[in-house]
Amino acid sequence: MPAKEYGIFLPIGNGGWMLSTTAPHPEANYEWNKRAALHAETIGLDFVMSMAKWRGFGGSTDHWGRSLESMTMMAALAEATSRVKIWATLHANVHNPAIAAKMVATLQDISGGRAGMNIVNGSYAGEFEQFGEWDPRLGHADRYEMTELWTEAVTRLWTEDSVTMSTPYFDLVDCESRPHPATRPTLINAGRSQEARRFQARYADGAFLAAESLDEMRTLSADVHARARAEGRVCKTYSMLTVVQDETDELAAKKVKEWGAGLDREALAHMRRTWGIPEDQARAWADGAGGEAAFQTPYVAGSARTVTEHIEYIVREADLDGLMLIFPEYDEDMLLFGETVLPVLRARDEVAG
């Protein structure tokens, strides 16, 4: 059985992944992200990944109101690191495929073959309306059709001397992009819809999935694996997990309570509105939300033993190939995780293998 892969979601937007006035608040600056990437490399994580964000959610925390650009930052981190995989995010609805192909090929060269591209196609209209890159005529299925053609164009530009394509979304005429990457960069996609899973099976090397329950995650993971096999491919599945670790379960639970008490309800309501939820419903939901809504992903809180057992359980039961981890306290928590949890996970992987 292949070893599981573990990485981190970098805090490229201010506030990281906590919607709270009382939680640790990483700033959107390079030094913070560089420290996190170097910690990841030092403790033996497999990858670091950053999102692409163009507009935040306001509130008292100005959540994600300040963010760095993913590709630029990851190029710098490729130079700062030597082993960990470097996965940046590009929006297919923003970047012309010829530009994207050249950017990622450059990142692959800088990183010595460690580059990956997380391909997304936009879901928050407000992010793209502000600079004229949102087409309201395109539904969800249309955006994935565009993304499939876009990915085909990028991957052809990595291997062919000239590419000509005419599509409803972009045109390439005798388009060149050299030098070609020596090895194809890793392709990642996050999504759970039918269209997303079809795309992941056909094009991606890794799929980031979200679910409402462990049973649903197992179903989604199995579906992506099966679809990829039917295509004669392998697509690994991952999910996200926030880690709140302390010496005891009680101390970790205390952190969760303290951070939840500062839930930024205004930012939470605005986030829901960007998902297309009507204003009054989004506001009512945010006003009634419990402190756990401060966490943007599922989380585990506890001692090293509790965290280890929880990670082993969900990865095994949901048939995942790995996890992308979030640490509210990137400095202290990552090092603690690296000392007490990751070595146990690695050792048990060796036994299982």
Side-chain angles (χ1 to χ4, degrees):
M1 180 182 297
K4 304 301 181 182
E5 296 182 1
Y6 300 100
I8 59 166
F9 215 174
L10 291 166
I12 197 169
N14 67 292
W17 300 90
M18 296 293 296
L19 284 158
S20 171
T21 59
T22 52
H25 192 93
E27 279 302 328
N29 61 47
Y30 177 64
E31 284 305 315
W32 200 300
N33 284 273
K34 180 181 177 181
R35 286 201 314 274
L38 291 174
H39 290 331
E41 180 143 291
T42 297
I43 69 176
L45 291 176
D46 300 295
F47 64 87
V48 296
M49 182 167 138
S50 63
M51 67 173 175
K53 179 55 60 177
W54 307 103
R55 190 181 184 95
F57 298 115
S60 56
T61 59
D62 185 29
H63 190 67
W64 292 350
R66 304 180 298 281
S67 62
L68 303 182
E69 193 281 315
S70 180
M71 183 62 69
T72 309
M73 188 186 79
M74 299 308 273
L77 292 181
E79 182 70 19
T81 58
S82 60
R83 182 195 56 79
V84 72
K85 296 173 186 175
I86 304 291
W87 293 349
T89 296
L90 287 177
H91 276 97
N93 60 313
V94 171
H95 296 91
N96 182 280
I99 304 301
K102 181 75 76 174
M103 292 167 70
V104 180
T106 303
L107 182 63
Q108 184 75 315
D109 187 25
I110 295 170
S111 66
R114 295 178 286 135
M117 174 172 59
N118 177 39
I119 303 168
V120 292
N121 55 30
S123 56
Y124 302 142
E127 283 193 78
F128 309 101
E129 288 171 339
Q130 64 182 348
F131 47 76
E133 291 293 343
W134 183 258
D135 187 343
R137 297 169 299 176
L138 300 183
H140 183 77
D142 299 319
R143 292 202 301 274
Y144 265 99
E145 179 186 57
M146 177 270 294
T147 304
E148 290 199 8
L149 292 167
W150 185 93
T151 304
E152 178 185 341
V154 170
T155 53
R156 286 182 61 188
L157 286 164
W158 285 339
T159 58
E160 300 178 21
D161 288 338
S162 172
V163 176
T164 296
M165 292 179 64
S166 178
T167 81
Y169 313 104
F170 61 85
D171 294 310
L172 301 179
V173 180
D174 188 23
C175 189
E176 300 180 356
S177 182
R178 298 192 306 273
H180 296 152
T183 57
R184 198 194 77 164
T186 301
L187 299 183
I188 306 294
N189 175 257
R192 54 179 279 181
S193 67
Q194 287 278 358
E195 292 85 359
R197 284 177 278 134
R198 183 185 66 238
F199 174 82
Q200 292 156 0
R202 290 179 178 175
Y203 296 98
D205 304 299
F208 283 96
L209 304 170
E212 299 298 324
S213 68
L214 193 62
D215 286 342
E216 184 186 17
M217 181 63 73
R218 183 187 305 112
T219 299
L220 294 175
S221 179
D223 183 64
V224 171
H225 286 150
R227 287 172 183 259
R229 283 195 300 271
E231 298 278 348
R233 305 183 63 256
V234 172
C235 181
K236 297 179 179 179
T237 58
Y238 307 84
S239 190
M240 292 191 294
L241 180 72
T242 298
V243 176
V244 181
Q245 187 181 338
D246 213 310
E247 293 182 5
T248 66
D249 291 355
E250 291 74 20
L251 288 172
K254 183 179 179 182
K255 286 182 179 178
V256 170
K257 184 176 180 179
E258 290 174 350
W259 297 344
L263 172 62
D264 187 344
R265 298 181 188 278
E266 183 63 35
L268 185 63
H270 184 55
M271 181 182 291
R272 294 279 164 162
R273 287 195 295 271
T274 63
W275 296 353
I277 297 174
E279 168 75 30
D280 56 343
Q281 294 181 27
R283 172 63 62 184
W285 186 90
D287 288 345
E292 291 186 351
F295 292 81
Q296 290 182 247
T297 74
Y299 69 89
V300 57
S303 64
R305 179 177 179 179
T306 297
V307 171
T308 303
E309 291 178 349
H310 183 82
I311 288 176
E312 281 192 309
Y313 177 74
I314 61 174
V315 169
R316 179 182 68 249
E317 292 300 312
D319 190 26
L320 295 170
D321 296 291
L323 288 176
M324 181 159 63
L325 304 170
I326 292 166
F327 296 89
E329 299 171 319
Y330 275 82
D331 290 311
E332 296 87 349
D333 282 2
M334 282 186 65
L335 295 176
L336 180 61
F337 181 89
E339 293 171 0
T340 60
V341 175
L342 190 59
V344 179
L345 294 173
R346 297 299 195 201
R348 294 180 183 178
D349 267 353
E350 289 184 9
V351 172

